[in-house]
Amino acid sequence: MKIVLCGFMGCGKSSIGRRLAKRLGYKFADMDRFIEAREGMKIAEIFETKGEDTFRAAETSAIESIMAEDNIVVAAGGGTVLRQENIDEFHRCGGKIYFLDVPVAALKERLKNDRNRPLLQRPDRREFIDKLHRERYPKYVSAADIVVDAAGPAVYIARKMAEMLAEEI
Ligand code: S3P
């Protein structure tokens, strides 16, 4: 089984993913960390020196390597499933995509002091998050095989998902 978590920045893909993997006895991979290790650079540095397009290409090429593993939970980057070719590749590799749905007000609160995500380093952060979330929401829903109501603490959501998945495994 290969579980892919997608959703907006701050929705808990990594913190829920790590806990979920532990509960299931699966491996865990974080796409952003994988790309940083492969490129030898932080995401912010890749955006700054090589541009967003290069980062998006690195995301696409990371999928095949990450998805070669079985029994794995993958935290996708917030923009990964906005490209149809990435969705197709996750599915081709046997992945099931879960969208972690968190209300935008909670996302704004969680992201208000973020200093690492290049897209958010702007003075109109709150308005930008609203706009980006409006644009992306339907895309996350359509990319997803399953939509998870993920408002709440990571520990709780991970437990809920593990219980749900236990019936499938
Ligand atoms: C991005 C989300 C980030 C990271 C990059 C771009 C996006 O991942 O991939 O900064 O376009 O939403 P997280 O969702 O893990 O923060």
Side-chain angles (χ1 to χ4, degrees):
M1 186 102 135
K2 304 180 190 201
I3 297 160
V4 179
L5 305 182
C6 80
F8 204 85
M9 293 171 269
C11 72
K13 300 178 292 285
S14 306
S15 47
I16 294 168
R18 193 168 287 108
R19 289 176 169 84
L20 177 62
K22 204 167 176 186
R23 281 186 170 268
L24 299 173
Y26 279 20
K27 285 159 275 197
F28 172 71
D30 185 307
M31 279 188 61
D32 286 344
R33 303 292 86 76
F34 179 91
I35 293 167
E36 287 181 340
R38 194 180 243 190
E39 302 284 321
M41 254 186 237
K42 290 280 185 200
I43 303 288
E45 237 180 307
I46 304 175
F47 266 71
E48 205 178 306
T49 61
K50 301 183 173 183
E52 183 170 350
D53 288 349
T54 304
F55 172 71
R56 297 299 173 196
E59 273 188 309
T60 301
S61 80
I63 296 175
E64 198 182 359
S65 318
I66 292 175
M67 295 295 286
E69 298 281 342
D70 205 2
N71 294 344
I72 188 163
V73 178
V74 179
T80 315
V81 301
L82 304 176
R83 284 184 167 198
Q84 187 60 44
E85 59 178 316
N86 293 347
I87 300 172
D88 293 344
E89 186 62 6
F90 280 131
H91 284 147
R92 195 188 63 77
C93 297
K96 200 161 178 179
I97 303 178
Y98 292 77
F99 165 40
L100 304 183
D101 188 7
V102 173
V104 70
L107 295 172
K108 280 190 283 194
E109 185 56 29
R110 291 182 194 176
L111 294 167
K112 69 179 181 196
N113 297 319
D114 181 86
R115 293 282 164 267
N116 298 317
R117 293 174 172 93
L119 297 179
L120 301 181
Q121 308 314 308
R122 45 190 297 154
D124 61 344
R125 178 180 300 200
R126 291 182 67 83
E127 294 72 24
F128 178 72
I129 292 175
D130 274 325
K131 178 174 166 287
L132 197 63
H133 186 266
R134 250 194 324 272
E135 283 168 15
R136 287 181 170 189
Y137 189 84
K139 299 181 181 170
Y140 289 132
V141 172
S142 91
D145 298 302
I146 294 173
V147 178
V148 179
D149 173 0
V155 205
Y156 170 73
I157 308 297
R159 191 173 65 217
K160 190 175 81 170
M161 287 187 73
E163 284 165 4
M164 188 168 103
L165 284 156
E167 292 167 21
E168 290 181 38
I169 296 172

PDB file of all heavy atoms in Angstrom, residues 7-10 13-14 30 32-33 43 47 52 55-56 59 76-80 82 111 116-119 132 136 140, ligand 1:
ATOM      1  N   GLY A   7      -2.285  18.422  -0.008  1.00  0.00           N
ATOM      2  CA  GLY A   7      -3.067  19.510   0.580  1.00  0.00           C
ATOM      3  C   GLY A   7      -2.235  20.761   0.710  1.00  0.00           C
ATOM      4  O   GLY A   7      -1.024  20.765   0.444  1.00  0.00           O
ATOM      5  N   PHE A   8      -2.903  21.818   1.142  1.00  0.00           N
ATOM      6  CA  PHE A   8      -2.280  23.133   1.224  1.00  0.00           C
ATOM      7  C   PHE A   8      -1.131  23.133   2.251  1.00  0.00           C
ATOM      8  O   PHE A   8      -1.125  22.331   3.191  1.00  0.00           O
ATOM      9  CB  PHE A   8      -3.335  24.162   1.643  1.00  0.00           C
ATOM     10  CG  PHE A   8      -3.014  25.564   1.220  1.00  0.00           C
ATOM     11  CD1 PHE A   8      -3.350  26.006  -0.050  1.00  0.00           C
ATOM     12  CD2 PHE A   8      -2.363  26.447   2.085  1.00  0.00           C
ATOM     13  CE1 PHE A   8      -3.048  27.297  -0.463  1.00  0.00           C
ATOM     14  CE2 PHE A   8      -2.057  27.735   1.690  1.00  0.00           C
ATOM     15  CZ  PHE A   8      -2.393  28.171   0.416  1.00  0.00           C
ATOM     16  N   MET A   9      -0.202  24.062   2.047  1.00  0.00           N
ATOM     17  CA  MET A   9       0.880  24.255   3.031  1.00  0.00           C
ATOM     18  C   MET A   9       0.254  24.377   4.429  1.00  0.00           C
ATOM     19  O   MET A   9      -0.756  25.064   4.593  1.00  0.00           O
ATOM     20  CB  MET A   9       1.642  25.561   2.725  1.00  0.00           C
ATOM     21  CG  MET A   9       2.411  25.536   1.431  1.00  0.00           C
ATOM     22  SD  MET A   9       3.075  27.178   0.985  1.00  0.00           S
ATOM     23  CE  MET A   9       1.749  27.848  -0.019  1.00  0.00           C
ATOM     24  N   GLY A  10       0.853  23.709   5.393  1.00  0.00           N
ATOM     25  CA  GLY A  10       0.375  23.829   6.766  1.00  0.00           C
ATOM     26  C   GLY A  10      -0.780  22.894   7.119  1.00  0.00           C
ATOM     27  O   GLY A  10      -1.267  22.919   8.252  1.00  0.00           O
ATOM     28  N   LYS A  13       0.611  17.566   6.371  1.00  0.00           N
ATOM     29  CA  LYS A  13       1.048  16.388   5.591  1.00  0.00           C
ATOM     30  C   LYS A  13       2.218  15.676   6.256  1.00  0.00           C
ATOM     31  O   LYS A  13       2.239  14.458   6.354  1.00  0.00           O
ATOM     32  CB  LYS A  13       1.439  16.815   4.154  1.00  0.00           C
ATOM     33  CG  LYS A  13       0.308  17.465   3.373  1.00  0.00           C
ATOM     34  CD  LYS A  13       0.764  17.896   1.986  1.00  0.00           C
ATOM     35  CE  LYS A  13       1.759  19.035   1.971  1.00  0.00           C
ATOM     36  NZ  LYS A  13       1.210  20.361   2.250  1.00  0.00           N
ATOM     37  N   SER A  14       3.199  16.450   6.721  1.00  0.00           N
ATOM     38  CA  SER A  14       4.390  15.825   7.310  1.00  0.00           C
ATOM     39  C   SER A  14       4.118  15.315   8.723  1.00  0.00           C
ATOM     40  O   SER A  14       4.484  14.175   9.053  1.00  0.00           O
ATOM     41  CB  SER A  14       5.566  16.810   7.357  1.00  0.00           C
ATOM     42  OG  SER A  14       5.781  17.322   6.065  1.00  0.00           O
ATOM     43  N   ASP A  30       9.149  12.402   2.957  1.00  0.00           N
ATOM     44  CA  ASP A  30       8.687  13.778   2.800  1.00  0.00           C
ATOM     45  C   ASP A  30       9.317  14.285   1.501  1.00  0.00           C
ATOM     46  O   ASP A  30      10.544  14.348   1.391  1.00  0.00           O
ATOM     47  CB  ASP A  30       9.175  14.579   4.010  1.00  0.00           C
ATOM     48  CG  ASP A  30       8.640  15.988   3.998  1.00  0.00           C
ATOM     49  OD1 ASP A  30       8.818  16.685   2.976  1.00  0.00           O
ATOM     50  OD2 ASP A  30       8.042  16.393   5.013  1.00  0.00           O
ATOM     51  N   ASP A  32       9.591  17.189   0.053  1.00  0.00           N
ATOM     52  CA  ASP A  32      10.446  18.387   0.143  1.00  0.00           C
ATOM     53  C   ASP A  32      11.841  18.028   0.671  1.00  0.00           C
ATOM     54  O   ASP A  32      12.856  18.493   0.158  1.00  0.00           O
ATOM     55  CB  ASP A  32       9.810  19.445   1.055  1.00  0.00           C
ATOM     56  CG  ASP A  32       8.622  20.153   0.395  1.00  0.00           C
ATOM     57  OD1 ASP A  32       8.472  20.062  -0.833  1.00  0.00           O
ATOM     58  OD2 ASP A  32       7.854  20.799   1.130  1.00  0.00           O
ATOM     59  N   ARG A  33      11.857  17.181   1.725  1.00  0.00           N
ATOM     60  CA  ARG A  33      13.160  16.795   2.311  1.00  0.00           C
ATOM     61  C   ARG A  33      13.958  15.938   1.326  1.00  0.00           C
ATOM     62  O   ARG A  33      15.171  16.038   1.226  1.00  0.00           O
ATOM     63  CB  ARG A  33      12.977  16.019   3.628  1.00  0.00           C
ATOM     64  CG  ARG A  33      12.189  16.723   4.723  1.00  0.00           C
ATOM     65  CD  ARG A  33      12.911  17.933   5.309  1.00  0.00           C
ATOM     66  NE  ARG A  33      12.692  19.158   4.562  1.00  0.00           N
ATOM     67  CZ  ARG A  33      11.575  19.905   4.598  1.00  0.00           C
ATOM     68  NH1 ARG A  33      10.570  19.560   5.329  1.00  0.00           N
ATOM     69  NH2 ARG A  33      11.489  21.029   3.884  1.00  0.00           N
ATOM     70  N   ILE A  43      14.764  24.163  -0.041  1.00  0.00           N
ATOM     71  CA  ILE A  43      13.731  24.530  -1.030  1.00  0.00           C
ATOM     72  C   ILE A  43      13.815  26.026  -1.363  1.00  0.00           C
ATOM     73  O   ILE A  43      13.771  26.422  -2.533  1.00  0.00           O
ATOM     74  CB  ILE A  43      12.309  24.212  -0.494  1.00  0.00           C
ATOM     75  CG1 ILE A  43      12.158  22.744  -0.118  1.00  0.00           C
ATOM     76  CG2 ILE A  43      11.232  24.663  -1.483  1.00  0.00           C
ATOM     77  CD1 ILE A  43      12.101  21.765  -1.250  1.00  0.00           C
ATOM     78  N   PHE A  47      14.328  27.722  -5.089  1.00  0.00           N
ATOM     79  CA  PHE A  47      13.443  28.743  -5.673  1.00  0.00           C
ATOM     80  C   PHE A  47      14.257  29.982  -6.043  1.00  0.00           C
ATOM     81  O   PHE A  47      14.072  30.552  -7.115  1.00  0.00           O
ATOM     82  CB  PHE A  47      12.366  29.157  -4.665  1.00  0.00           C
ATOM     83  CG  PHE A  47      11.066  28.390  -4.787  1.00  0.00           C
ATOM     84  CD1 PHE A  47      10.984  27.059  -4.401  1.00  0.00           C
ATOM     85  CD2 PHE A  47       9.913  29.003  -5.264  1.00  0.00           C
ATOM     86  CE1 PHE A  47       9.784  26.354  -4.492  1.00  0.00           C
ATOM     87  CE2 PHE A  47       8.707  28.308  -5.354  1.00  0.00           C
ATOM     88  CZ  PHE A  47       8.639  26.985  -4.961  1.00  0.00           C
ATOM     89  N   GLU A  52      11.199  28.598  -9.675  1.00  0.00           N
ATOM     90  CA  GLU A  52      10.129  27.655  -9.330  1.00  0.00           C
ATOM     91  C   GLU A  52       9.989  26.534 -10.359  1.00  0.00           C
ATOM     92  O   GLU A  52       9.711  25.383  -9.995  1.00  0.00           O
ATOM     93  CB  GLU A  52       8.788  28.401  -9.161  1.00  0.00           C
ATOM     94  CG  GLU A  52       7.676  27.443  -8.740  1.00  0.00           C
ATOM     95  CD  GLU A  52       6.370  28.118  -8.304  1.00  0.00           C
ATOM     96  OE1 GLU A  52       6.357  29.359  -8.144  1.00  0.00           O
ATOM     97  OE2 GLU A  52       5.374  27.378  -8.150  1.00  0.00           O
ATOM     98  N   PHE A  55      12.235  23.765  -9.557  1.00  0.00           N
ATOM     99  CA  PHE A  55      11.741  23.028  -8.391  1.00  0.00           C
ATOM    100  C   PHE A  55      10.604  22.090  -8.788  1.00  0.00           C
ATOM    101  O   PHE A  55      10.556  20.937  -8.361  1.00  0.00           O
ATOM    102  CB  PHE A  55      11.272  24.003  -7.299  1.00  0.00           C
ATOM    103  CG  PHE A  55      10.575  23.303  -6.163  1.00  0.00           C
ATOM    104  CD1 PHE A  55      11.279  22.508  -5.268  1.00  0.00           C
ATOM    105  CD2 PHE A  55       9.196  23.396  -6.018  1.00  0.00           C
ATOM    106  CE1 PHE A  55      10.630  21.824  -4.243  1.00  0.00           C
ATOM    107  CE2 PHE A  55       8.534  22.717  -5.000  1.00  0.00           C
ATOM    108  CZ  PHE A  55       9.253  21.929  -4.109  1.00  0.00           C
ATOM    109  N   ARG A  56       9.693  22.568  -9.635  1.00  0.00           N
ATOM    110  CA  ARG A  56       8.550  21.738 -10.048  1.00  0.00           C
ATOM    111  C   ARG A  56       9.030  20.517 -10.843  1.00  0.00           C
ATOM    112  O   ARG A  56       8.472  19.425 -10.720  1.00  0.00           O
ATOM    113  CB  ARG A  56       7.552  22.564 -10.866  1.00  0.00           C
ATOM    114  CG  ARG A  56       6.908  23.718 -10.107  1.00  0.00           C
ATOM    115  CD  ARG A  56       6.113  23.258  -8.902  1.00  0.00           C
ATOM    116  NE  ARG A  56       5.627  24.378  -8.079  1.00  0.00           N
ATOM    117  CZ  ARG A  56       5.185  24.237  -6.837  1.00  0.00           C
ATOM    118  NH1 ARG A  56       5.185  23.061  -6.240  1.00  0.00           N
ATOM    119  NH2 ARG A  56       4.773  25.287  -6.162  1.00  0.00           N
ATOM    120  N   GLU A  59      10.342  18.029  -8.434  1.00  0.00           N
ATOM    121  CA  GLU A  59       9.231  17.318  -7.781  1.00  0.00           C
ATOM    122  C   GLU A  59       8.784  16.143  -8.647  1.00  0.00           C
ATOM    123  O   GLU A  59       8.639  15.020  -8.164  1.00  0.00           O
ATOM    124  CB  GLU A  59       8.021  18.257  -7.621  1.00  0.00           C
ATOM    125  CG  GLU A  59       8.020  19.085  -6.370  1.00  0.00           C
ATOM    126  CD  GLU A  59       6.707  19.842  -6.203  1.00  0.00           C
ATOM    127  OE1 GLU A  59       6.266  20.528  -7.144  1.00  0.00           O
ATOM    128  OE2 GLU A  59       6.116  19.747  -5.114  1.00  0.00           O
ATOM    129  N   ALA A  76       3.401  14.732   0.095  1.00  0.00           N
ATOM    130  CA  ALA A  76       3.707  15.471  -1.138  1.00  0.00           C
ATOM    131  C   ALA A  76       3.903  16.945  -0.777  1.00  0.00           C
ATOM    132  O   ALA A  76       3.458  17.399   0.279  1.00  0.00           O
ATOM    133  CB  ALA A  76       2.561  15.305  -2.125  1.00  0.00           C
ATOM    134  N   GLY A  77       4.550  17.697  -1.664  1.00  0.00           N
ATOM    135  CA  GLY A  77       4.628  19.147  -1.451  1.00  0.00           C
ATOM    136  C   GLY A  77       3.257  19.747  -1.728  1.00  0.00           C
ATOM    137  O   GLY A  77       2.422  19.131  -2.408  1.00  0.00           O
ATOM    138  N   GLY A  78       3.025  20.947  -1.217  1.00  0.00           N
ATOM    139  CA  GLY A  78       1.702  21.571  -1.368  1.00  0.00           C
ATOM    140  C   GLY A  78       1.283  21.809  -2.812  1.00  0.00           C
ATOM    141  O   GLY A  78       0.090  21.917  -3.116  1.00  0.00           O
ATOM    142  N   GLY A  79       2.267  21.895  -3.721  1.00  0.00           N
ATOM    143  CA  GLY A  79       1.920  22.170  -5.119  1.00  0.00           C
ATOM    144  C   GLY A  79       1.997  20.945  -6.017  1.00  0.00           C
ATOM    145  O   GLY A  79       1.673  21.022  -7.206  1.00  0.00           O
ATOM    146  N   THR A  80       2.406  19.815  -5.454  1.00  0.00           N
ATOM    147  CA  THR A  80       2.708  18.641  -6.290  1.00  0.00           C
ATOM    148  C   THR A  80       1.516  18.142  -7.112  1.00  0.00           C
ATOM    149  O   THR A  80       1.646  17.880  -8.305  1.00  0.00           O
ATOM    150  CB  THR A  80       3.226  17.469  -5.419  1.00  0.00           C
ATOM    151  OG1 THR A  80       4.179  17.972  -4.496  1.00  0.00           O
ATOM    152  CG2 THR A  80       3.868  16.396  -6.274  1.00  0.00           C
ATOM    153  N   LEU A  82      -0.944  19.591  -8.254  1.00  0.00           N
ATOM    154  CA  LEU A  82      -1.596  20.567  -9.137  1.00  0.00           C
ATOM    155  C   LEU A  82      -1.249  20.258 -10.592  1.00  0.00           C
ATOM    156  O   LEU A  82      -1.822  20.831 -11.510  1.00  0.00           O
ATOM    157  CB  LEU A  82      -1.165  21.996  -8.774  1.00  0.00           C
ATOM    158  CG  LEU A  82      -1.432  22.362  -7.310  1.00  0.00           C
ATOM    159  CD1 LEU A  82      -0.885  23.740  -6.998  1.00  0.00           C
ATOM    160  CD2 LEU A  82      -2.922  22.305  -7.000  1.00  0.00           C
ATOM    161  N   LEU A 111       0.335  29.306   9.541  1.00  0.00           N
ATOM    162  CA  LEU A 111       1.396  29.761   8.641  1.00  0.00           C
ATOM    163  C   LEU A 111       1.835  31.207   8.910  1.00  0.00           C
ATOM    164  O   LEU A 111       2.706  31.723   8.207  1.00  0.00           O
ATOM    165  CB  LEU A 111       0.924  29.651   7.182  1.00  0.00           C
ATOM    166  CG  LEU A 111       0.672  28.225   6.667  1.00  0.00           C
ATOM    167  CD1 LEU A 111      -0.078  28.262   5.335  1.00  0.00           C
ATOM    168  CD2 LEU A 111       1.984  27.461   6.515  1.00  0.00           C
ATOM    169  N   ASN A 116      10.116  29.836   6.126  1.00  0.00           N
ATOM    170  CA  ASN A 116      10.801  28.898   5.227  1.00  0.00           C
ATOM    171  C   ASN A 116      10.157  28.717   3.858  1.00  0.00           C
ATOM    172  O   ASN A 116      10.826  28.367   2.904  1.00  0.00           O
ATOM    173  CB  ASN A 116      10.893  27.510   5.889  1.00  0.00           C
ATOM    174  CG  ASN A 116      11.700  27.569   7.157  1.00  0.00           C
ATOM    175  OD1 ASN A 116      12.742  28.221   7.205  1.00  0.00           O
ATOM    176  ND2 ASN A 116      11.200  26.937   8.200  1.00  0.00           N
ATOM    177  N   ARG A 117       8.846  28.917   3.796  1.00  0.00           N
ATOM    178  CA  ARG A 117       8.169  28.642   2.517  1.00  0.00           C
ATOM    179  C   ARG A 117       8.268  29.854   1.601  1.00  0.00           C
ATOM    180  O   ARG A 117       7.675  30.903   1.873  1.00  0.00           O
ATOM    181  CB  ARG A 117       6.712  28.251   2.777  1.00  0.00           C
ATOM    182  CG  ARG A 117       6.555  26.916   3.509  1.00  0.00           C
ATOM    183  CD  ARG A 117       5.099  26.697   3.849  1.00  0.00           C
ATOM    184  NE  ARG A 117       4.833  25.367   4.391  1.00  0.00           N
ATOM    185  CZ  ARG A 117       4.821  25.090   5.692  1.00  0.00           C
ATOM    186  NH1 ARG A 117       5.117  26.008   6.589  1.00  0.00           N
ATOM    187  NH2 ARG A 117       4.536  23.860   6.097  1.00  0.00           N
ATOM    188  N   PRO A 118       8.981  29.688   0.476  1.00  0.00           N
ATOM    189  CA  PRO A 118       9.252  30.836  -0.393  1.00  0.00           C
ATOM    190  C   PRO A 118       7.993  31.546  -0.901  1.00  0.00           C
ATOM    191  O   PRO A 118       7.987  32.779  -0.996  1.00  0.00           O
ATOM    192  CB  PRO A 118      10.039  30.244  -1.568  1.00  0.00           C
ATOM    193  CG  PRO A 118      10.060  28.774  -1.383  1.00  0.00           C
ATOM    194  CD  PRO A 118       9.639  28.457  -0.002  1.00  0.00           C
ATOM    195  N   LEU A 119       6.912  30.793  -1.150  1.00  0.00           N
ATOM    196  CA  LEU A 119       5.709  31.431  -1.693  1.00  0.00           C
ATOM    197  C   LEU A 119       5.059  32.389  -0.696  1.00  0.00           C
ATOM    198  O   LEU A 119       4.292  33.268  -1.089  1.00  0.00           O
ATOM    199  CB  LEU A 119       4.672  30.372  -2.096  1.00  0.00           C
ATOM    200  CG  LEU A 119       5.055  29.392  -3.207  1.00  0.00           C
ATOM    201  CD1 LEU A 119       3.912  28.404  -3.456  1.00  0.00           C
ATOM    202  CD2 LEU A 119       5.383  30.134  -4.494  1.00  0.00           C
ATOM    203  N   LEU A 132      -4.765  31.871  -2.989  1.00  0.00           N
ATOM    204  CA  LEU A 132      -4.165  30.612  -3.446  1.00  0.00           C
ATOM    205  C   LEU A 132      -5.037  29.412  -3.032  1.00  0.00           C
ATOM    206  O   LEU A 132      -5.217  28.465  -3.787  1.00  0.00           O
ATOM    207  CB  LEU A 132      -2.758  30.489  -2.855  1.00  0.00           C
ATOM    208  CG  LEU A 132      -1.825  29.476  -3.515  1.00  0.00           C
ATOM    209  CD1 LEU A 132      -1.551  29.864  -4.955  1.00  0.00           C
ATOM    210  CD2 LEU A 132      -0.483  29.386  -2.755  1.00  0.00           C
ATOM    211  N   ARG A 136      -6.648  26.681  -5.460  1.00  0.00           N
ATOM    212  CA  ARG A 136      -6.170  25.299  -5.394  1.00  0.00           C
ATOM    213  C   ARG A 136      -7.199  24.299  -4.871  1.00  0.00           C
ATOM    214  O   ARG A 136      -7.113  23.118  -5.187  1.00  0.00           O
ATOM    215  CB  ARG A 136      -4.921  25.228  -4.504  1.00  0.00           C
ATOM    216  CG  ARG A 136      -3.703  25.820  -5.164  1.00  0.00           C
ATOM    217  CD  ARG A 136      -2.524  25.687  -4.233  1.00  0.00           C
ATOM    218  NE  ARG A 136      -1.259  26.017  -4.877  1.00  0.00           N
ATOM    219  CZ  ARG A 136      -0.088  25.819  -4.321  1.00  0.00           C
ATOM    220  NH1 ARG A 136      -0.010  25.306  -3.113  1.00  0.00           N
ATOM    221  NH2 ARG A 136       1.027  26.147  -4.961  1.00  0.00           N
ATOM    222  N   TYR A 140      -7.226  20.175  -5.442  1.00  0.00           N
ATOM    223  CA  TYR A 140      -6.925  19.133  -4.443  1.00  0.00           C
ATOM    224  C   TYR A 140      -8.066  18.115  -4.404  1.00  0.00           C
ATOM    225  O   TYR A 140      -7.835  16.911  -4.351  1.00  0.00           O
ATOM    226  CB  TYR A 140      -6.757  19.745  -3.049  1.00  0.00           C
ATOM    227  CG  TYR A 140      -5.504  20.568  -2.847  1.00  0.00           C
ATOM    228  CD1 TYR A 140      -5.553  21.826  -2.260  1.00  0.00           C
ATOM    229  CD2 TYR A 140      -4.256  20.078  -3.228  1.00  0.00           C
ATOM    230  CE1 TYR A 140      -4.411  22.576  -2.051  1.00  0.00           C
ATOM    231  CE2 TYR A 140      -3.098  20.825  -3.026  1.00  0.00           C
ATOM    232  CZ  TYR A 140      -3.188  22.076  -2.441  1.00  0.00           C
ATOM    233  OH  TYR A 140      -2.054  22.821  -2.240  1.00  0.00           O
TER     234      TYR A 140
HETATM  235  C1  S3P B   1       4.729  24.554  -1.940  1.00  0.00           C
HETATM  236  C2  S3P B   1       4.642  23.875  -0.744  1.00  0.00           C
HETATM  237  C3  S3P B   1       5.831  23.483   0.028  1.00  0.00           C
HETATM  238  C4  S3P B   1       7.058  23.346  -0.869  1.00  0.00           C
HETATM  239  C5  S3P B   1       7.251  24.581  -1.685  1.00  0.00           C
HETATM  240  C6  S3P B   1       6.031  24.902  -2.565  1.00  0.00           C
HETATM  241  C7  S3P B   1       3.463  24.902  -2.643  1.00  0.00           C
HETATM  242  O1  S3P B   1       5.571  22.242   0.672  1.00  0.00           O
HETATM  243  O2  S3P B   1       6.941  22.222  -1.698  1.00  0.00           O
HETATM  244  O3  S3P B   1       7.510  25.627  -0.811  1.00  0.00           O
HETATM  245  O4  S3P B   1       3.500  25.251  -3.836  1.00  0.00           O
HETATM  246  O5  S3P B   1       2.397  24.829  -1.992  1.00  0.00           O
HETATM  247  P1  S3P B   1       4.656  22.119   1.998  1.00  0.00           P
HETATM  248  O6  S3P B   1       3.241  22.029   1.552  1.00  0.00           O
HETATM  249  O7  S3P B   1       5.120  20.842   2.600  1.00  0.00           O
HETATM  250  O8  S3P B   1       4.913  23.288   2.842  1.00  0.00           O
END
